[in-house]
Structure formats: structure tokens, C-alpha cells
Amino acid sequence: MINIAILGYGTVGSGVVEVIKTNKNSIEKKAGESINIKYVLDIRKFPGDPIEEILTDNIEDILNDDEVKIIVEVMGGVEPAYTFVKRALLSGKSVVTSNKELVAKHGAELLEIAKSKDINFLFEASVGGGIPIIRPLNQSLTADEIYEITGILNGTTNYILSKMADEGKSFEEVLKVAQEKGYAERDPKADVEGHDACRKIAILSSLAFGMHADYEDIYTEGITKITKRDMDYAKKLGYTIKLLATSKKIDHRIFARVCPVMISKEHPLANVNGVFNAIFIKGNVIGDVMFYGKGAGKLPTASAVVADIVDAIKHLNRNILSFWSKEKLELMDLKDVNTRYFVTIKYDNFKTAVEEVRSIFGEVEVIQLDDVEGEFAFITLEETEGIINEKINVLKDKEEIKEISSTIRVER
Ligand code: NDP
Ligand code: HSE
């Protein structure tokens, strides 16, 4: 029998208890051992809940118990999670976590400690909720040189954007539902400002390229400025808007960014809607592969956590090697990366405004919505971000341009 302890009895923690209970027989057959949840740690009380008798608010009960072999950290946040996890690993207990903040910041160090102790630090649920993506990167795709990862990595924002586009709902209204469904982070700013997706692409980049991608170096822009009007333009153009997290190798250099992108309806990620996430990977041998599934929520996330618990049991005294060194991955300056932009402007005189736009950006096509006056949009030709931004600044100063209301990157 293997004793485990769960730190945090919130959305994911309660899901882990439920999954272990619901699929007990098949999980234990696959693990080759029976699983006993010996402790649940939380600062709250849960009167009447079956876990009440194994509930503790003292981490020392768990860390000092030699019978506990695996710790499941699903509290979230960097501290005290980092201290608890590090102490657990140093004392020879394997750790499974869904906490991307912790993994993005301290993953390389915690993997190193696990390796030195011949135990495991596993974090499948930290990216893409229930989607298996960490294990494929560590194992199935090791024959490849990966040169691009692009993903919809945040369920909350994809849920919001889908509902805004398909049902015309307001940002605030949909965010509230995402929170009620348990998709959003404790502070939903982490979702809507792109920080959660940024941590996830940092984790994937570190594993794909074998060096530590510092999430603070990654350009990050959220979805709070995206309007219903932007959605209408996108629809008219045969595009949709998604929050994409990308990291890409260009001539031996790597760039990474998180931002809303207008993508054509033909793009493989265009039809990924609601809380679903998808991760698109290009390798030099395998070509294109895509992973798809529920990116957030109690049971999908718990499914990934429990799969890691099973893996940790199967490799109790044997480290599963991960390729993520502490050496820093230097990222390219985004201003050197090629892109196209969708731009909307407000004007007084249509003819002069079009002339001014074309004098700077060339013969771009002008797009107008039937029910909107005094505004048009255009899509720039492909140039570096640096050059496009310089041109946008020149446009801003033109007399005829009253306001530049949207700038969104575009991909086919
Ligand atoms: P919740 O806030 O629902 O649950 C966290 C639980 O841990 C709460 O009960 C909280 O108590 C408790 N807790 C917090 N700090 C401590 C502490 N110091 N000691 C003991 N207990 C503590 O979060 P989620 O379950 O949603 O998320 C957990 C982790 O999983 C996060 O890192 C999140 O980013 C990640 N994740 C979440 C997904 C989701 O769909 N929800 C999907 C994938 C990953 P209290 O509420 O009183 O603070
Ligand atoms: N808040 C996160 C999301 C949870 O919405 O994707 C899953 O990591």
C-alpha cells in the first residue's frame, strides 16, 4: 500500500480525492499498488466531508511521517508551496503538482533535487489541465528537434473569447461563469492578463529546448482590450481571435510570446472553443502534432494529477529523466520577429485617412463594418514588429487620424 498526502482541498484537490475514489480498482491495478490518502492539508475546515478525519492544518504531520511516499501539491501560489515541496523532495518523498506558478519558477531546481534523490517531481496537470502534454514532450517526442509550440493554454480566456464571439456575451458576464465553474485562478487577472498562459509556455519551452525559459522574459499581453467590435471585424474577414502562447525557433534563436492573435478560420487552433485547450507542436522528424482536451476544471485536471500519482508509484525509487537544465534560455527581442497587424482607426474624413494609412503602410485593403461610422480597419503587410510599431507611431501623429482603437497580431 502506498500512502499519499494531498496539500490543498479546493477545486483540484477535491477532484483528486473523487477520481481516486471513483476509479479506485482500475487505478490501483494500473499502479500495481493500493493507494491510501493518509492526510489532506488545508487551512479551512470541511464539516461533514468524509476527509474530515484525515484533515490537518500542520504540514509537519505530513513531512515527518515516513509512511507518506508521495505528496500531491494542489494549493497553488509560490509560497508556501515551494518550501513544502522542496522539503518533501529533500526528505525523499516524490511530489506531484498542478501548480504552474511553482513549476515555471522553480521547475529546474526541483527536478534536479528529485533526480539527486532518485524520486520524482511530476507536473502533468500544470499545463493544459487534462491534456497529456508534459509526458509526450519528455518521452514520445524525444526523437525530434522541436522548433515550434503554439497553444491555447488558458481555459478561462478561451471560454470568454468563445462566448463573446459566438453568443455576443460581455467580458464580465462570461468571466463570472468561468469563475463559478472553477476554471479561473484565485486572482483571475492571472488568466485575463495572460500571466497563466505565459507560465505554461515557459514550462513547455523549458522542456522542449532543455534550458530554463524565464517567464519574466516572455512578452505577455492579455485579452482585456479585445472588444465585441474586434470580434465582428474578425468574423467579416473569416478570422477569429484567440489568446495564443507561442515559442518558436528561428535560425537557432528562440522567441516566445503570449498575446491575442487574429487567426484564419482554417488555422488548426481556430475551432478550439470553450474551456478546451490545444497545443500544436512542430518537430523536424514528426512534422505537426496537436494535443486537444479540457484545459481546466476539477475532474479533467484531477485526471492528469492522478495519472502522475500512478507514474510516481510505478517509479517509486527511480527517477524519470527530464531534460530541463538551470541554464537560462536567451530569448529573441520581439521587435526582430516578423508579423502582421490588424489595426482599426477612427477618422473625420474617410478619403484623407485612407491616403494617410496607405502612404505609410502601402496598398492595404480597407475593411468597414456596415453599422459603424467614422472607423475602418486594415491589415498590415508582413514586417518586423519593430518596423510596424514605428509605422503605427507615425500614423498616430497624422492629423486625420483621431484614434488608433485596436492593434492585434494576425496569422493565417
Ligand atoms: P483552489 O483555490 O480551489 O484550492 C486551493 C486550496 O488550497 C484551497 O482550499 C486553499 O484554502 C488551500 N490552501 C491555500 N494555501 C494553503 C496553505 N498554505 N495551507 C493549506 N491549504 C492551503 O485552487 P485550485 O484547486 O483551482 O488550484 C490549485 C492549483 O492547481 C493552482 O496552482 C492552480 O493554478 C492549478 N490548476 C488549477 C486548475 C483548475 O481548473 N482549477 C487546472 C490546472 C491547474 P483557502 O481557499 O482557504 O485559501
Ligand atoms: N486558470 C487556468 C485556466 C486553470 O483557465 O486555464 C488551468 O491551468
Side-chain angles (χ1 to χ4, degrees):
M1 184 176 73
I2 301 293
N3 287 297
I4 70 169
I6 298 174
L7 317 187
Y9 193 60
T11 304
V12 183
S14 62
V16 170
V17 173
E18 188 176 330
V19 169
I20 292 178
K21 195 170 150 209
T22 310
N23 291 342
K24 193 166 178 54
N25 286 342
S26 67
I27 290 169
E28 291 186 342
K29 248 186 225 157
K30 287 167 196 157
E33 289 276 1
S34 61
I35 301 172
N36 177 43
I37 305 174
K38 190 164 180 186
Y39 302 96
V40 169
L41 174 92
D42 206 291
I43 35 194
R44 282 187 288 160
K45 302 274 174 261
F46 299 90
D49 191 298
I51 58 105
E52 217 180 351
E53 56 197 52
I54 53 167
L55 189 66
T56 175
D57 58 6
N58 185 358
I59 187 69
E60 303 307 327
D61 292 345
I62 296 168
L63 293 177
N64 294 329
D65 186 337
D66 289 340
E67 284 184 0
V68 173
K69 299 293 177 209
I70 299 167
I71 288 188
V72 180
E73 186 281 304
V74 283
M75 302 184 312
V78 173
E79 281 298 354
Y82 170 61
T83 304
F84 292 176
V85 166
K86 191 170 171 178
R87 283 184 61 198
L89 290 170
L90 287 170
S91 70
K93 300 180 196 304
S94 283
V95 173
V96 168
T97 186
S98 58
N99 182 343
K100 47 270 158 133
E101 241 181 301
L102 172 73
V103 179
K105 198 167 171 66
H106 297 291
E109 183 200 2
L110 297 172
L111 281 168
E112 198 176 87
I113 299 174
K115 188 175 169 205
S116 74
K117 295 275 176 187
D118 251 331
I119 50 172
N120 287 292
F121 175 61
L122 302 174
F123 44 90
E124 183 61 73
S126 67
V127 181
I131 307 174
I133 180 64
I134 304 294
R135 204 165 279 108
L137 268 181
N138 263 340
Q139 293 171 18
S140 326
L141 296 174
T142 44
D144 271 75
E145 286 286 328
I146 288 167
Y147 59 90
E148 180 178 346
I149 305 174
T150 295
I152 293 174
L153 297 182
N154 184 269
T156 304
T157 45
N158 203 44
Y159 184 79
I160 295 173
L161 290 174
S162 304
K163 293 279 175 192
M164 280 171 75
D166 301 341
E167 296 171 27
K169 297 222 163 116
S170 77
F171 183 96
E172 292 73 20
E173 194 183 348
V174 194
L175 171 61
K176 200 164 163 276
V177 182
Q179 286 178 295
E180 283 161 9
K181 285 179 178 280
Y183 302 156
E185 295 301 304
R186 179 165 292 245
D187 178 359
K189 255 199 211 150
D191 298 292
V192 299
E193 299 291 0
H195 305 304
D196 178 74
C198 168
R199 289 173 189 129
K200 290 168 175 168
I201 195 70
I203 295 170
L204 296 183
S205 307
S206 299
L207 288 170
F209 303 118
M211 290 160 83
H212 181 71
D214 187 338
Y215 64 87
E216 291 188 17
D217 293 347
I218 298 177
Y219 174 83
T220 302
E221 184 184 317
I223 62 161
T224 49
K225 291 189 198 130
I226 302 295
T227 62
K228 175 75 181 56
R229 181 90 58 87
D230 295 326
M231 297 282 188
D232 292 342
Y233 277 112
K235 211 174 252 177
K236 180 155 187 176
L237 286 160
Y239 282 67
T240 186
I241 302 172
K242 295 288 181 191
L243 183 72
L244 296 190
T246 298
S247 93
K248 205 169 179 174
K249 213 178 226 176
I250 304 173
D251 299 334
H252 306 289
R253 292 189 305 159
I254 291 159
F255 89 85
R257 71 170 189 215
V258 174
C259 58
V261 182
M262 233 182 226
I263 50 176
S264 128
K265 287 267 162 69
E266 317 301 318
H267 192 288
L269 297 174
N271 292 313
V272 177
N273 290 317
V275 73
F276 280 85
N277 282 192
I279 303 135
F280 178 73
I281 294 185
K282 283 180 194 272
N284 67 340
V285 188
I286 197 167
D288 298 351
V289 259
M290 194 153 128
F291 300 83
Y292 174 80
K294 283 197 176 152
K298 176 173 166 165
L299 293 180
T301 309
S303 158
V305 172
V306 175
D308 272 352
I309 297 173
V310 170
D311 221 9
I313 294 174
K314 283 160 71 179
H315 299 89
L316 212 49
N317 296 305
R318 186 157 53 93
N319 180 254
I320 306 163
L321 204 58
S322 279
F323 183 52
W324 175 350
S325 82
K326 278 182 177 169
E327 198 183 335
K328 189 175 155 103
L329 183 68
E330 293 301 336
L331 297 174
M332 263 173 93
D333 192 330
L334 218 57
K335 74 175 177 16
D336 298 327
V337 174
N338 275 9
T339 193
R340 294 190 308 154
Y341 267 88
F342 162 88
V343 183
T344 53
I345 62 152
K346 294 196 192 302
Y347 61 85
D348 277 328
N349 181 299
F350 177 74
K351 192 167 169 285
T352 338
V354 172
E355 277 167 14
E356 285 183 337
V357 165
R358 288 191 171 145
S359 72
I360 300 167
F361 287 93
E363 283 304 300
V364 291
E365 189 191 341
V366 166
I367 310 127
Q368 285 183 288
L369 293 175
D370 296 339
D371 53 346
V372 178
E373 290 197 353
E375 182 184 280
F376 68 79
F378 65 95
I379 294 178
T380 70
L381 303 176
E382 186 172 305
E383 291 185 278
T384 64
E385 291 238 354
I387 292 175
I388 296 179
N389 281 315
E390 273 169 26
K391 289 184 175 179
I392 287 174
N393 282 334
V394 174
L395 187 65
K396 261 185 203 154
D397 290 338
K398 292 283 180 187
E399 214 180 286
E400 189 48 52
I401 307 302
K402 279 168 58 185
E403 188 192 334
I404 296 186
S405 28
S406 293
T407 53
I408 303 171
R409 291 169 185 82
V410 178
E411 275 174 28
R412 267 176 249 270

